Amino acid sequence: MGYSQLKIPRICEYCSKPFEAKTVSTRFCSKECGNKSGKEVKKQAKEDERKQQILKESAASIAKIQTRPYISIAEAVILYGISKNTIHRLIKSGRIPAINLGERLTRISRVHIEAMFPAIELPEKPKEQSTKMIYEPNECYTIAEVSTKFGVSLSTVNKTIRRFGVPMRQVGKFVYVPKEQIDKIFASKQ
Ligand SMILES: [Zn+2]
């Protein structure tokens, strides 16, 4: 065979030793190096797969945490990147409501920590809200007005409105909410 006469100087891709390759596609100095390299490729693939799995699981668990009203301090640390000390301080100062289910089993309100909002009491039972707006425009705020008046972000206003089932009416690009209800909800947060 003509190929066996060929001497192609190469560096082994596994052990970096110079060798004379028999074909242009030879990558390793020996069968051993070829095998070891193959094993490492497999190991790397397995490792990558494992990392992907961890990522997928953590995304799933984060999604799950985000739907729960109360979360653990450890979860809050992960989710919001705040230190344990900060969370404990916020609980102590009453800035976020917490429930103590036992030693090391503190659960804190996710929406509050998310909004960095003073603690409020949820109404006993959310009252049935009619979907009809019975308020006149001058009895309403826009979302931006609520945000300005109470010094909270637009997203917090939106979340609070949804949470309390405040009736909304959209006119053009503005969403109107009744002053009466908004004042009541936000006054308890001041
Ligand atoms: Zn080698």
Side-chain angles (χ1 to χ4, degrees):
M1 289 283 240
Y3 278 125
S4 59
Q5 305 306 316
L6 277 171
K7 304 270 182 181
I8 307 160
R10 273 273 150 93
I11 301 285
C12 173
E13 284 182 27
Y14 185 76
C15 70
S16 301
K17 199 176 80 183
F19 71 103
E20 289 176 340
K22 287 189 178 125
T23 77
V24 285
S25 61
T26 306
R27 295 165 56 203
F28 307 103
C29 69
S30 61
K31 229 181 208 166
E32 226 175 36
C33 277
N35 285 342
K36 280 180 191 160
S37 164
K39 265 181 207 154
E40 264 178 27
V41 167
K42 257 187 216 157
K43 204 170 128 196
Q44 191 56 46
K46 227 177 180 177
E47 181 67 11
D48 287 347
E49 200 181 302
R50 199 181 63 87
K51 279 184 190 156
Q52 278 308 112
Q53 187 59 28
I54 290 170
L55 264 181
K56 230 163 76 186
E57 276 165 19
S58 92
S61 74
I62 284 172
K64 221 158 101 196
I65 295 167
Q66 279 172 331
T67 62
R68 290 207 315 263
Y70 278 79
I71 59 175
S72 74
I73 289 174
E75 287 166 342
V77 169
I78 295 167
L79 221 50
Y80 302 104
I82 331 165
S83 75
K84 268 186 195 172
N85 285 345
T86 302
I87 295 168
H88 283 298
R89 210 170 44 239
L90 287 168
I91 295 170
K92 219 173 167 186
S93 66
R95 297 250 299 156
I96 39 170
I99 323 171
N100 205 353
L101 303 174
E103 205 173 332
R104 304 178 75 88
L105 282 173
T106 302
R107 294 290 178 272
I108 52 177
S109 167
R110 183 180 53 79
V111 282
H112 284 80
I113 197 154
E114 207 170 78
M116 273 300 131
F117 228 61
I120 52 148
E121 293 297 318
L122 270 176
E124 296 270 291
K125 266 182 230 150
K127 282 183 215 111
E128 282 283 315
Q129 297 282 2
S130 73
T131 48
K132 237 182 181 180
M133 279 282 274
I134 48 161
Y135 298 91
E136 295 297 318
N138 65 351
E139 296 175 305
C140 294
Y141 295 124
T142 63
I143 304 294
E145 281 171 344
V146 179
S147 165
T148 310
K149 181 166 183 186
F150 297 99
V152 293
S153 70
L154 291 175
S155 78
T156 300
V157 176
N158 281 318
K159 265 182 238 158
T160 308
I161 285 167
R162 247 174 279 135
R163 183 158 170 235
F164 285 88
V166 176
M168 293 179 267
R169 183 169 67 178
Q170 182 151 12
V171 180
K173 58 178 182 170
F174 294 104
V175 174
Y176 292 90
V177 285
K179 285 179 182 173
E180 187 190 83
Q181 293 194 30
I182 292 296
D183 285 339
K184 224 186 282 170
I185 292 166
F186 283 88
S188 68
K189 296 178 178 222
Q190 297 298 299

